[in-house]
Amino acid sequence: MNYRISAPERLEGAIVLPASKSISNRVLLLHALSGGKGSLHHLAKCDDTDAVLRALAHDDAQVVDIGAAGTAMRFLTAYFATREGRCVTLTGTERMRQRPIKVLVEALRCLGADITYVGEEGFPPLLIKGKRLHGGDVSISGSVSSQYITALLLIAPVVGGMRLKIEGEIMSRPYIDMTLALMRRYGIEASWQGAMVEVPAGEYAAVDFTVEADWSAASYWWAMQALLPASSISLLGLHQHSLQGDSRMAEIMAQMGVTGIWHDERVHLQSNGGAGCCCTTFADLSGTPDIAQTLVVMLCLLGRAFRLTGLRTLRIKETDRLEALRTELLKLGYVVKVEGDDALSWHYQTVAPAPDIHISTYHDHRMAMAFAPAAIRFPGIVIDDAQVVSKSYPDFWQHLREAGFSIEEV
């Protein structure tokens, strides 16, 4: 379905944010690797986490289809490789079958994994024959998705320990640190030694765990507060000192004139008039790529020039997010430049906006949510394939309605 969206002059509401899917997906694997001991609370209710839950719930499934859930593909590849005696074909959507996984497969093969490609070399679907793996020394490039690294770290204790050498620049390190912090909660104390992560052999402990709210979801509300400074928005469930790298959004937005007033797990957003600053924004987002789309769209709408770097992993997400941003922002009249595979910039170049703006989402939840605030500057903008937000934030459109947006199906 497609939604036509118009925004009010100010937003008002207390938004109960969804749980973090990044944390949910990790603790689901940790819970499974601990033998299902302990209990989990406030798991994310979204397509990605549902895919992991389904995969772990059926011990006898011979084909596991994770749809468009990239996290599930990476984590479950490693997990199923350790399940002795089990044979699984792991597959997904057409786009998933275009997303590379060779780096992870090669690393797992170094540990003794039996994984073969069903179709094209280097891409899903995968035929995984679970067996007893051995630990030891493994090397992996740090410039690839941090989810490859997390997948290896999660299984490291149960395969006899691991010395994981991360070569070159480490992308998205906050996500790796999140994984190590969660492993610590489950009783495994891994440590960084330069570019090496050392994980001891051991068993995960039984843990009762409650998942905090999602900072990636919070980012869209921070952007809307900057665009409508008279708004009164409170966000519920966030941790101020979070495991999530995307909590950096609060620091970045303080430079945009939006600060957060904290009361336990509730933060009230407040504008101080600084959002209209005309200086150029520079930021390295290599540790927080999931907020890139939010920031790029918001900065254009604010009329604030920028150059954002550290975006290499955006090429292999649900879509090529660099090219998708360039294409869709041009419909709004903003001429954004893609610089190689790593950066996006805008220095006030504009053209006439399209007369009837339809934003294509490319089956990417973050494209839909990042462009929704554009209705503040472009009333009646249409977001195509709007239901794609179910991947991470199923209640997004309902929350916008409750805050004052007008949304109609077209």
Side-chain angles (χ1 to χ4, degrees), residues 250-264:
E251 171 194 336
I252 294 173
M253 292 306 300
Q255 302 170 27
M256 304 291 114
V258 180
T259 54
I261 310 302
W262 287 90
H263 300 282
D264 296 324

Side-chain angles (χ1 to χ4, degrees), residues 94-136:
E94 180 180 357
R95 172 59 181 170
M96 185 58 60
R97 296 192 293 273
Q98 298 170 357
R99 297 177 70 175
I101 200 166
K102 185 176 183 178
V103 170
L104 176 58
V105 170
E106 291 301 312
L108 288 167
R109 285 173 172 172
C110 289
L111 300 173
D114 185 346
I115 305 174
T116 56
Y117 299 107
V118 175
E120 184 178 354
E121 180 84 8
F123 299 87
L126 304 174
L127 176 62
I128 306 170
K129 297 179 180 179
K131 57 185 289 191
R132 181 183 295 275
L133 306 185
H134 58 78

Side-chain angles (χ1 to χ4, degrees), residues 145-158:
S145 170
S146 64
Q147 292 174 6
Y148 298 162
I149 297 169
T150 283
L152 294 169
L153 292 173
L154 289 172
I155 66 166
V158 303

